[in-house]
Amino acid sequence: MASLSGVRWLTRALVSASSPGAWRGLGTSAAAQAALRSQAEDVRVEGAFPVTMLPGDGVGPELMHAVKEVFKAAAVPVEFQEHHLSEVQNMASEEKLEQVLSSMKENKVAIIGKIHTPMEYKGELASYDMRLRRKLDLFANVVHVKSLPGYMTRHNNLDLVIIREQTEGEYSSLEHESARGVIECLKIVTRAKSQRIAKFAFDYATKKGRNKVTAVHKANIMKLGDGLFLQCCEEVAELYPRIKFETMIIDNCCMQLVQNPYQFDVLVMPNLYGNIIDNLAAGLVGGAGVVPGESYSAEYAVFEMGARHPFAQAVGRNIANPTAMLLSASNMLRHLNLEYHSSMIAEAVKKVIKVGKVRTRDMGGYSTTTDFIKSVIGHLHPHGS
């Protein structure tokens, strides 16, 4: 696997700053669990790239099944090492978390579903999902929101990128009851991490040939916390004179995205704002089922859905849209320098959507997940099937 050292072009190029280190019923159906078990054994393939797979909750296992079926049909040289971590299926423990971390640290690349976080407080404030991100220092979440040709939405021909810092901010898990009936939640903003995500955003814009970065904040209210984030973005912007830099308050940004999203190119923001904007922007081009996402540290790359939803009401009904997960898997292959297979799968998915005969319910059709997978496989390049 010596070639692995040369394929992590994105994180190597983008991370040069010093880096410190109301869904319910989320259980997977019996049928889905049986399918999961049948797919669970790792197949050792000589010369294949090892990738950690974490199916997650809700329709995650069904979407991962779609990825495995398409990869098999396309003869993709990837070996999945599957692990299960779930707080709602009683498959979460320190031991399981360490197993997942060990696998991800060894393989450097992972594809994951949504690990649902229950709202009930059971003595631990940090969810397993958040702990995973922190332990791997997955500080940059990247969601490329792009319209899919052939699928008409309120806004078409959109192409923007949301970059979110996801290791601090409102997700610091520092909460306490300071007096009876009074809860304090601490939002942590540091210069080091604010500078790091700002530099990542500008490096990304440079690498991808983009022209503008917009820093999203609420510094008019959180003058010190968001003020520091904004100051760091302004300082980093001065180092990139060819990239236009703008700032926008988060509430105005939400309105502008709905009214005129074409004004945006790359947006960079703290944790909570990024979570909200990821979902809002995904809705502009078709929803959680069609937008891929990825998270990076200096060493690791994790590929996932851009809008993290378990879609619990679809579990076991064969109606989930695998588009986002397949496009994310395609991005993963590009990261591994498997350009041929990456393009083959992405083009097949886009052809299915452009032709328009096979559409899942979230896209206004009646096709099943299985129908979509079969159609994608049918559109793969003949040399890859």
Side-chain angles (χ1 to χ4, degrees):
M1 305 312 297
S3 59
L4 268 172
S5 61
V7 302
R8 294 185 238 296
W9 58 271
L10 185 58
T11 44
R12 298 293 182 214
L14 300 184
V15 187
S16 54
S18 63
S19 48
W23 301 86
R24 298 181 181 175
L26 286 164
T28 307
S29 68
Q33 286 181 339
L36 207 62
R37 282 193 294 272
S38 69
Q39 298 290 331
E41 294 181 12
D42 293 337
V43 180
R44 302 290 169 188
V45 182
E46 180 122 17
F49 290 88
V51 170
T52 302
M53 176 179 276
L54 201 58
D57 295 306
V59 295
E62 295 166 58
L63 298 178
M64 291 304 180
H65 175 70
V67 170
K68 287 185 280 191
E69 288 293 302
V70 171
F71 273 35
K72 182 179 177 182
V76 177
V78 160
E79 167 205 328
F80 287 120
Q81 296 173 5
E82 198 165 326
H83 295 267
H84 300 283
L85 189 68
S86 169
E87 292 187 63
V88 294
Q89 298 177 57
N90 294 319
M91 289 195 293
S93 65
E94 292 300 320
E95 185 183 359
K96 283 187 177 292
L97 181 62
E98 286 305 316
Q99 288 172 359
V100 171
L101 286 167
S102 177
S103 175
M104 292 171 83
K105 285 177 179 177
E106 183 178 348
N107 296 333
K108 310 290 187 187
V109 179
I111 184 166
I112 68 174
K114 167 64 178 170
I115 303 170
H116 181 70
T117 304
M119 282 190 240
E120 299 83 15
Y121 173 57
K122 297 180 179 177
E124 176 60 63
L125 289 168
S127 68
Y128 278 84
D129 189 23
M130 288 162 59
R131 290 164 69 189
L132 204 59
R133 286 184 225 165
R134 280 189 208 152
K135 285 180 180 288
L136 295 173
D137 196 28
L138 294 167
F139 70 92
N141 177 242
V142 181
V143 176
H144 187 182
V145 179
K146 191 172 184 180
S147 298
L148 293 166
Y151 181 49
M152 302 295 286
T153 55
R154 186 179 297 274
H155 297 288
N156 296 293
N157 301 313
L158 280 183
D159 185 356
L160 55 96
V161 178
I162 299 154
I163 295 176
R164 164 193 179 192
E165 204 296 321
Q166 62 174 6
T167 58
E168 60 175 13
E170 300 84 357
Y171 289 62
S172 301
S173 303
L174 296 172
E175 300 181 76
H176 62 273
E177 188 171 24
S178 54
R180 189 173 181 83
V182 180
I183 301 293
E184 290 183 316
C185 299
L186 302 183
K187 169 176 174 171
I188 307 299
V189 181
T190 62
R191 175 173 291 277
K193 291 191 175 184
S194 296
Q195 286 179 333
R196 181 171 67 167
I197 196 66
K199 190 172 191 314
F200 183 97
F202 278 93
D203 283 345
Y204 183 98
T206 303
K207 178 79 177 177
K208 300 291 186 178
R210 292 186 171 261
N211 302 312
K212 182 170 74 170
V213 171
T214 303
V216 182
H217 65 93
K218 192 65 177 171
N220 57 324
I221 301 299
M222 285 169 273
K223 300 182 190 299
L224 297 181
D226 279 22
L228 177 59
F229 174 82
L230 188 57
Q231 181 188 347
C232 290
C233 289
E234 289 169 343
E235 290 170 357
V236 171
E238 292 178 4
L239 305 175
Y240 298 81
R242 295 186 180 182
I243 305 290
K244 187 178 179 183
F245 176 64
E246 291 182 352
T247 68
M248 189 172 289
I249 294 172
I250 177 64
D251 37 347
N252 184 34
C253 179
C254 291
M255 181 177 70
Q256 294 296 330
L257 274 167
V258 173
Q259 286 190 320
N260 178 24
Y262 302 100
Q263 66 185 286
F264 297 107
D265 194 350
V266 174
L267 300 94
V268 61
M269 61 200 76
N271 212 333
L272 179 61
Y273 309 155
N275 191 7
I276 294 167
I277 296 296
D278 282 348
N279 284 267
L280 190 157
L284 297 176
V285 296
V290 299
V291 179
E294 52 227 50
S295 295
Y296 294 101
S297 73
E299 292 184 76
Y300 312 115
V302 173
F303 296 84
E304 57 197 336
M305 293 174 70
R308 298 166 179 154
H309 286 291
F311 197 23
Q313 64 268 46
V315 171
R317 294 171 59 194
N318 199 22
I319 61 171
N321 187 347
T323 299
M325 197 60 84
L326 288 172
L327 291 177
S328 189
S330 167
N331 292 340
M332 179 188 76
L333 296 179
R334 185 169 291 110
H335 177 77
L336 290 170
N337 227 23
L338 295 169
E339 288 283 348
Y340 172 76
H341 296 90
S342 171
S343 298
M344 185 202 311
I345 291 171
E347 286 169 13
V349 172
K350 289 171 184 175
K351 279 179 188 173
V352 171
I353 291 170
K354 191 170 185 177
V355 171
K357 290 182 179 178
V358 179
R359 291 255 168 101
T360 48
R361 292 191 186 186
D362 60 312
M363 300 183 80
Y366 297 94
S367 302
T368 64
T369 309
T370 305
D371 294 334
F372 195 95
I373 297 167
K374 286 179 179 177
S375 188
V376 169
I377 290 172
H379 282 83
L380 290 172
H381 193 280
H383 292 114
S385 51

